[in-house]
Amino acid sequence: MRVFVVNSGSSSIKYQLVDVVSEQVVLSGLLERLGQPGGGADQNSAVDHESGMRLVLDRLGPEAATIAAVGHRVVHGGELFAAPVVIDDEVVAGIRAVSALAPLHNPANLAGIDAARLALPGVPHVAVFDTAFHQSMPAAAATYAIDRAVAAEHGVRRYGFHGTSHQFVASRAAALLGRPLESLKLIVLHLGNGSSATAVDGGRSIDTSMGLTPLAGLVMGTRSGDLDPGALLHLLRTGLSIDELDALLNSRSGLLGLAGSADMRDVMAAADAGDADAALALHVWAHRIRHYVGAYLAQLGGLDAVVFTAGIGENAPVLRARALDGLAHLGLAIDADRNGSPSREARVISPEGAPVAVLVVPTNEELAIAQAAAALVG
Ligand code: ADP
């Protein structure tokens, strides 16, 4: 069974044709500069989403006839969507209704959905939400302690993101451990350009570090992560505009703000070369991760495994070790040889017989979306 996976951004369409059984990518591609100057001038761009999707269909050629379903990544499902759904006009209206919560992402996702439904009208389209996995969080974890009426009116609560990745990685971790997911208490650390931590109890998200938006939690490439909300008021009172504050926190903070590069490899190289700012950035990065590991250990009331995934989590042994440094008293330890040996496979990096397993599990959001779509449409 083949699923066509679409990740539609405001100016780009990323796509993959995935064979769900063999888990192989049949083909993949990217169109850029949609709706921007120069869009449509060459083969890797398009004027808009609609013409872009027609171009993609041309590229698929005879493969288009093998598509059993289309899986769409949708960033925000609000409280409306707690699982993937087959898209109809009502679902489109629902995604639009929660767009205020992700004004940059949901309209762009919808543009891709509209264009793909036009281009491929004969197959089911499925929306897979970044937030859905976290809808299982208890109210205690999802609720911010502000005026309840204001929160309700504006949908202000913790939603969490990267849910597709956290869920996929949790289930692969269970397979690697050879135990049912329902029996496991896991902390999943998705450490990429965007980063988040999730406490997974019996296959359900019970807490996660991102919040109303993907700005909360861990130190990221360009995003600040957690910050005293009073700091925002303070900065606004100094005369910063809302757009300037938005750009500061979303685009000029995190590793970039602390160390001058959003790319972890640059920050590591700079720290190795003696750059004090880069060294501090790594300390802050690891400190924040340990903060969440400790918190989620307490919320879970026990722990079977910590799971590293995404660009940094999968590829940076030194940082995996730093993130868990000093946590041996909690049963968390890393075996240096296992941690250091390069591999693309899911693997255990804790010492033999350790009370808590530490795992590296590669994430694959496209495959996860394809699997979710396939499961839904049979
Ligand atoms: P995105 O959130 O954009 O999908 P990724 O999951 O691809 O991001 O992660 C990107 C991050 O992973 C970057 O900070 C990059 O520097 C980091 N990264 C990739 N490979 C390595 C490596 N070998 N060592 C350290 N960091 C790495």
Side-chain angles (χ1 to χ4, degrees):
M1 178 166 186
R2 286 177 170 186
V3 176
F4 188 59
V5 178
V6 177
N7 185 348
S8 173
S10 58
S11 67
S12 70
I13 298 176
K14 262 194 261 176
Y15 59 90
Q16 269 193 16
L17 182 58
V18 179
D19 187 308
V20 179
V21 178
S22 68
E23 301 190 347
Q24 296 302 307
V25 178
V26 181
L27 61 83
S28 65
L30 168 67
L31 288 179
E32 294 179 294
R33 298 203 303 286
L34 276 57
Q36 301 203 334
D42 61 69
Q43 276 301 299
N44 297 315
S45 70
V47 178
D48 56 18
H49 287 78
E50 212 175 298
S51 64
M53 204 56 81
R54 278 200 302 273
L55 186 62
V56 170
L57 208 62
D58 284 347
R59 282 192 194 168
L60 286 170
E63 303 284 9
T66 69
I67 296 172
V70 182
H72 294 271
R73 173 171 188 241
V74 180
V75 167
H76 220 303
E79 290 182 325
L80 283 179
F81 302 104
V85 283
V86 176
I87 297 171
D88 57 16
D89 292 345
E90 202 180 320
V91 168
V92 167
I95 296 170
R96 190 166 290 123
V98 299
S99 280
L101 295 168
L104 297 180
H105 294 106
N106 273 32
N109 301 154
L110 277 172
I113 289 173
D114 289 344
R117 287 175 86 201
L118 275 176
L120 289 160
V123 295
H125 290 247
V126 174
V128 181
F129 301 90
D130 272 19
T131 50
F133 181 53
H134 303 298
Q135 279 295 301
S136 55
M137 267 187 299
T143 305
Y144 294 130
I146 62 169
D147 183 290
R148 291 186 66 185
V150 173
E153 184 182 351
H154 299 289
V156 177
R157 50 158 287 176
R158 184 187 303 281
Y159 293 96
F161 298 85
H162 288 145
T164 310
S165 174
H166 285 294
Q167 187 170 24
F168 176 85
V169 165
S171 102
R172 294 262 154 147
L176 178 64
L177 293 171
R179 291 175 57 187
L181 183 56
E182 295 68 32
S183 72
L184 292 173
K185 293 179 184 292
L186 306 173
I187 296 174
V188 181
L189 300 171
H190 178 114
L191 307 175
N193 216 347
S195 298
S196 63
T198 296
V200 182
D201 195 357
R204 292 158 62 89
S205 168
I206 64 154
D207 205 350
T208 192
S209 61
M210 284 177 167
L212 172 78
T213 72
L215 187 52
L218 301 175
V219 176
M220 310 187 213
T222 64
R223 281 172 256 167
S224 62
D226 291 339
L227 187 74
D228 174 1
L232 313 189
L233 304 177
H234 175 70
L235 288 168
L236 286 171
R237 288 202 179 99
T238 66
L240 221 65
S241 73
I242 290 173
D243 285 343
E244 284 166 344
L245 188 55
D246 187 325
L248 174 73
L249 299 178
N250 276 301
S251 313
R252 292 199 286 119
S253 293
L255 297 176
L256 179 63
L258 289 174
S261 171
D263 192 305
M264 187 50 108
R265 286 163 291 203
D266 295 343
V267 180
M268 292 170 77
D272 284 344
D275 182 309
D277 289 343
L280 175 63
L282 295 181
H283 282 302
V284 177
W285 179 88
H287 180 97
R288 192 78 57 83
I289 292 172
R290 283 193 295 273
H291 172 91
Y292 277 97
V293 169
Y296 291 167
L297 177 59
Q299 301 295 6
L300 286 162
L303 186 61
D304 295 296
V306 170
V307 193
F308 285 95
T309 194
I312 299 169
E314 292 170 32
N315 298 307
V318 174
L319 294 181
R320 290 194 293 260
R322 284 192 65 162
L324 300 186
D325 192 27
L327 303 185
H329 64 291
L330 300 175
L332 281 163
I334 285 181
D335 178 278
D337 287 341
R338 288 178 170 187
N339 187 33
S341 74
S343 165
R344 299 248 146 254
E345 302 298 314
R347 59 204 183 273
V348 179
I349 58 168
S350 45
E352 192 69 45
V356 180
V358 182
L359 313 178
V360 179
V361 175
T363 192
N364 187 339
E365 290 181 88
E366 289 78 15
L367 176 59
I369 291 170
Q371 286 176 338
L376 201 61
V377 305

